[in-house]
Amino acid sequence: RRVHGDTRGKRGLYSAPSSRKTGSERSLKQMATKTLDRYLEDIEVQRLDSHIDTLLECKPLSEADVKALCEKAKEILSQEQNVQPVRVPVTVVGDIHGQFYDLKELFRIAGDCPETNFLFLGDYVDRGYYSVESVSLVVALKVRYKDRVCIIRGNHESRQITQVYGFYDECLRKYGSANVWKYFTDAFDFLPLTAVIENKIFCDHGGLSPSTDSLDTIRALDRVQEVPHEGPMCDLLWSDPDDRTGWGVSPRGAGYTFGQDISEVFCHCNGLQMIARAHQLVMEGFNWCHDKHVVTIFSAPNYCYRCGNQAAIMEVDENMSGPPTFIQFDPAPRRGEPNVTRRSPDYFL
């Protein structure tokens, strides 16, 4: 693993956390749990902890448990903003795409909740073999530790896209009906569109939109709907940075490309240091562009089990005194993957 940036004063970033917790670690977890449990009944806490343990073994929840989990998630997410504030320190995670064992590897490196705070940038499902288990775990962690975990929407958190790229078929295969797919896609409508870390780092899945030049414009959007085919909500989830200046036509067929001039003006007008986004495969797991005004983070190593890329996560420390730290990692050891006969079309890697 290669670590970029200063890691002094950070715990559990490069070396994997020990399975035996120290007294201070246990105390931290107990204090965090006492604070966070106030919005949950004792029985809900016990049930969620049991669900998380089940999911960490890569075992799907029952249909009834998924329904209850998604209802609670909608209740929590409905209280959050289109531009959800996030405090430091925080670990920022890019695309996961159903690669469950790589998600577990990510937690092994970054640390577990609630000791580590997480911001997930979307695309929890599709393409990988374990979309059900991956999205269930992320949503369960959000519900269990709502103030420690922020999850926002990616372009794959959509009814139309998930019917093409794997999640819908996986739900049918594992549950025998589309009910679980419906519970999750209904919950996806409530996900925040973007987040902002300490009013300095703007985070979304895709990029910028010619219709939204300020954070207040994004805050005013009606997000509780299926992702539209065009417009600002679509652009935030689909757009990509580009070497060319100005706005351009996206080869994806949705959103736009935007140049360094666009990102610099957006950051300046909104008092931001930088933009962190996901959405694009980058071979080193992260990639700076636009004179370090924009960084892409991709957290699915060996994407689609064939691309050979590294993955990365971004650490923002409590001082924000220097550049973020990036931790790169390789795929988790494979124990054998199930055969999936239907091949998803490669709309754009």
Side-chain angles (χ1 to χ4, degrees), residues 229-271:
H229 295 292
E230 58 185 9
M233 181 171 165
C234 170
D235 300 340
L236 292 168
L237 274 55
W238 280 91
S239 293
D240 296 297
D242 195 71
D243 293 335
R244 296 166 293 183
T245 59
W247 298 101
V249 177
S250 174
R252 297 179 186 267
Y256 292 86
T257 63
F258 59 97
Q260 181 174 332
D261 55 332
I262 303 296
S263 56
E264 286 181 349
V265 168
F266 184 84
C267 287
H268 176 75
C269 292
N270 291 283

Side-chain angles (χ1 to χ4, degrees), residues 95-98 121-128 131 135 152-168 181 184-185 188-189 191 205-206 226-227 234 237-238 252 279-280 298 303-304 344-349:
D95 295 36
I96 295 168
H97 281 300
L121 299 182
D123 277 15
Y124 314 106
V125 299
D126 288 337
R127 300 198 182 276
S131 289
V135 72
I152 67 173
R153 195 171 192 173
N155 63 307
H156 278 259
E157 277 69 64
S158 131
R159 293 168 184 81
Q160 182 177 9
I161 297 296
T162 51
Q163 288 183 74
V164 177
Y165 293 100
F167 183 47
Y168 178 84
W181 171 82
F184 274 117
T185 52
F188 292 161
D189 288 347
L191 288 168
H205 180 73
E226 171 70 345
V227 180
C234 170
L237 274 55
W238 280 91
R252 297 179 186 267
H279 194 41
Q280 280 181 302
F298 198 80
Y303 181 44
C304 298
S344 300
D346 294 328
Y347 75 93
F348 193 84
L349 288 176

Side-chain angles (χ1 to χ4, degrees), residues 140-213:
L141 290 171
K142 171 62 184 177
V143 172
R144 179 66 177 86
Y145 304 109
K146 72 181 182 72
D147 296 320
R148 300 273 180 161
V149 177
C150 179
I151 57 177
I152 67 173
R153 195 171 192 173
N155 63 307
H156 278 259
E157 277 69 64
S158 131
R159 293 168 184 81
Q160 182 177 9
I161 297 296
T162 51
Q163 288 183 74
V164 177
Y165 293 100
F167 183 47
Y168 178 84
D169 292 325
E170 185 182 324
C171 290
L172 286 180
R173 203 165 56 243
K174 292 180 176 177
Y175 290 96
S177 77
N179 290 342
V180 164
W181 171 82
K182 185 178 186 305
Y183 300 148
F184 274 117
T185 52
D186 286 350
F188 292 161
D189 288 347
F190 289 82
L191 288 168
L193 301 177
T194 69
V196 62
I197 301 173
E198 300 289 357
N199 295 315
K200 292 299 181 184
I201 303 176
F202 176 72
C203 303
D204 69 354
H205 180 73
L208 302 179
S209 170
S211 304
T212 55
D213 56 0

Side-chain angles (χ1 to χ4, degrees), residues 47-48 51 55 59-74 131-133 135-137 139-140 143 167 171 174-175 178-185 187-188:
R47 188 179 297 119
L48 280 167
H51 290 346
L55 290 164
K59 296 177 181 177
L61 302 178
S62 71
E63 182 178 316
D65 286 337
V66 171
K67 182 178 182 181
L69 178 65
C70 289
E71 288 301 316
K72 190 66 179 180
K74 288 193 290 186
S131 289
V132 166
E133 294 83 356
V135 72
S136 297
L137 179 57
V139 172
V143 172
F167 183 47
C171 290
K174 292 180 176 177
Y175 290 96
N179 290 342
V180 164
W181 171 82
K182 185 178 186 305
Y183 300 148
F184 274 117
T185 52
F188 292 161

